[in-house]
Amino acid sequence: QGGRKRGREEEKDAGEKDAKKAKPEAGITIEQRLLSGQLAALMLCDRYITSGRYAQVRTLVERVRDFIEPHGLAIDIDFAVRYGIACEILGDSAQADVCFGHLLERDVDKYADLFVLVSHTLYGGGRFAKALPFLLKMRTCELTRRPEYWMLEAKCQVCLGRKREAMARIDAVLAADPTSTPAKLLKERLGDPDWRSLTPQLQEAAR
């Protein structure tokens, strides 16, 4: 009996050791599951955005948030921005600004693609003043220090009635690409006395 008792105790000790070893693995498994689920959800978000299903984007992001928060995790900035884009398109600009505000605090070099998404979304929604802080920050990033974004900034400045600032951006575009037809045409139009008539045209084109 003493031998059987010692045997059971040894088995118990071995089981406890195995259980302690298994705990970290179980934790990693949960983290991997959460990460895998978020990546899949992010891909689905992008499919919804591409197909114009913005209500589904909001619903999906809310489900992801409800799923990860019990594990002590916060919603990732990638989801927050996509949620903001959906809100902006659906007319909830106040909530969109909250989401986009989190991005503006981040490093543009790390989140350049999100800065591009937000600036285009705000410009397309006619919220030129809101788009400018993102475009200005994009000047400091090598990936987004490009004439196409300077042109977008110039258009925002025109729509806001800021001719001098717009001309400065157009000159930057032409310095980088002297053959840029859009920049040449916009500069020519800004030289007209009625340059402010450009504003409704640009606003309509942005939609």
Side-chain angles (χ1 to χ4, degrees):
Q1 289 181 350
R4 286 197 297 270
K5 183 177 180 181
R6 284 195 299 273
R8 287 196 299 271
E9 289 175 349
E10 289 173 356
E11 289 177 1
K12 181 181 178 182
D13 291 340
E16 289 176 351
K17 290 179 181 178
D18 290 340
K20 289 178 180 178
K21 291 179 180 179
K23 283 182 180 179
E25 295 178 1
I28 293 172
T29 301
I30 291 173
E31 291 171 0
Q32 289 175 337
R33 180 187 172 195
L34 290 171
L35 178 60
S36 176
Q38 288 185 74
L39 290 174
L42 198 60
M43 291 174 65
L44 186 55
C45 264
D46 288 337
R47 287 175 58 187
Y48 284 155
I49 288 174
T50 301
S51 59
R53 299 162 68 184
Y54 298 104
Q56 284 88 336
V57 172
R58 290 209 300 189
T59 300
L60 179 57
V61 174
E62 287 166 0
R63 287 178 177 174
V64 170
R65 180 194 62 204
D66 293 343
F67 179 68
I68 66 173
E69 281 185 348
H71 297 280
L73 300 174
I75 197 77
D76 189 81
I77 190 66
D78 290 283
F79 284 108
V81 166
R82 284 160 176 80
Y83 190 81
I85 289 172
C87 289
E88 177 71 21
I89 299 298
L90 294 172
D92 189 355
S93 295
Q95 183 59 51
D97 287 343
V98 172
C99 297
F100 297 157
H102 295 311
L103 176 64
L104 203 54
E105 300 170 356
R106 303 297 180 97
D107 182 359
V108 64
D109 290 298
K110 186 175 180 180
Y111 298 101
D113 59 327
L114 298 183
F115 274 79
V116 171
L117 279 174
V118 170
S119 60
H120 276 290
T121 298
L122 291 170
Y123 176 78
R127 298 215 292 150
F128 309 111
K130 290 290 185 180
L132 274 177
F134 294 92
L135 291 166
L136 291 172
K137 199 165 182 179
M138 285 163 61
R139 289 191 202 174
T140 66
C141 174
E142 185 176 354
L143 291 173
T144 53
R145 198 182 298 123
R146 295 163 57 179
E148 62 189 275
Y149 303 126
W150 299 339
M151 274 298 293
L152 193 62
E153 185 185 338
K155 292 176 182 178
C156 285
Q157 298 287 15
V158 172
C159 291
L160 294 170
R162 301 170 181 170
K163 180 179 177 179
R164 185 177 62 181
E165 290 83 350
M167 288 292 281
R169 286 296 89 202
I170 294 170
D171 288 341
V173 172
L174 291 173
D177 180 12
T179 64
S180 174
T181 300
K184 288 180 179 179
L185 290 174
L186 187 55
K187 185 171 184 176
E188 183 179 343
R189 288 298 307 277
L190 284 175
D192 293 340
D194 66 338
W195 66 272
R196 290 183 183 277
S197 65
L198 271 171
T199 299
Q201 298 173 32
L202 291 174
Q203 290 173 340
E204 182 61 30
R207 296 189 181 96

